[in-house]
Amino acid sequence: LTTYTTLAAEDPWEDSPVKKIEWRRIILDEAHLIKNINALQSRAVTKLNAKRRWLVTGTPIQNHSFDLFSLMAFLRFEPLSIKNYLNNLIARPLASGDEKGISRLQVKDIVFCVFWLLPSLPNILYDSSDRFRSWVELHILVQISFCEK
């Protein structure tokens, strides 16, 4: 358990204990605090070595649609963790007033929660005419052990 500020302060220190550990799971609370991918705390948390990455936020987008990029980069969810892809798919269309950008964000919240769990999800989100579906419902059963509860 640590803070974003502590991680940012330890980032330049190569012998930082948090960098040497392969974490089983990293959970970011208030994940919108890493919205700027160029900020030291965002880079520090994204570089951590972990088997699983979770994030919790009630406001994934605060100022600009590109706020999503740092969250996807932390989760290492491709293709949305690729800057140009997210920019072309969502950020540019929204900035230019193109309705495609809005429709691509109108996916049930649960989809964003489980994006990184399903490598095949991009195939689910597009229909046969290569249009982004505006609504997808997913039911996922996740079993966790007593210790993980």
Side-chain angles (χ1 to χ4, degrees):
L1 185 61
T2 191
T3 66
Y4 294 107
T5 306
T6 301
L7 288 172
E10 289 190 13
D11 188 57
W13 183 31
E14 289 302 319
D15 291 330
S16 170
V18 297
K19 288 182 172 182
K20 293 183 175 188
I21 297 171
E22 181 183 17
W23 299 95
R24 180 175 183 193
R25 179 182 305 111
I26 296 175
I27 304 171
L28 300 186
D29 190 21
E30 301 295 332
H32 57 272
L33 294 174
I34 66 161
K35 66 182 176 186
N36 179 356
I37 195 64
N38 297 316
L40 184 57
Q41 66 186 23
S42 300
R43 291 192 321 255
V45 80
T46 301
K47 287 191 285 187
L48 291 174
N49 189 12
K51 291 181 180 180
R52 291 177 174 74
R53 296 164 174 267
W54 295 11
L55 55 82
V56 179
T57 182
T59 51
I61 299 175
Q62 288 187 321
N63 299 322
H64 188 273
S65 60
F66 205 70
D67 291 351
L68 266 179
F69 174 70
S70 60
L71 302 179
M72 296 298 111
F74 168 74
L75 293 174
R76 296 183 179 167
F77 175 70
E78 290 187 6
L80 295 180
S81 62
I82 300 168
K83 194 178 286 189
N84 287 338
Y85 187 89
L86 186 105
N87 204 21
N88 291 334
L89 186 69
I90 297 173
R92 274 195 204 131
L94 281 176
S96 68
D98 188 339
E99 288 184 21
K100 289 179 187 175
I102 293 170
S103 69
R104 291 172 182 155
L105 287 177
Q106 291 177 335
V107 177
K108 282 233 180 237
D109 294 337
I110 189 68
V111 174
F112 285 108
C113 293
V114 298
F115 251 174
W116 56 278
L117 291 174
L118 301 173
S120 62
L121 191 59
N123 296 330
I124 296 169
L125 295 178
Y126 288 89
D127 63 22
S128 59
S129 64
D130 202 33
R131 291 183 319 194
F132 195 80
R133 293 182 181 168
S134 62
W135 187 84
V136 175
E137 182 175 347
L138 297 174
H139 298 271
I140 297 177
L141 174 63
V142 178
Q143 294 181 333
I144 56 175
S145 71
F146 178 76
C147 294
E148 291 175 314
K149 293 179 185 178

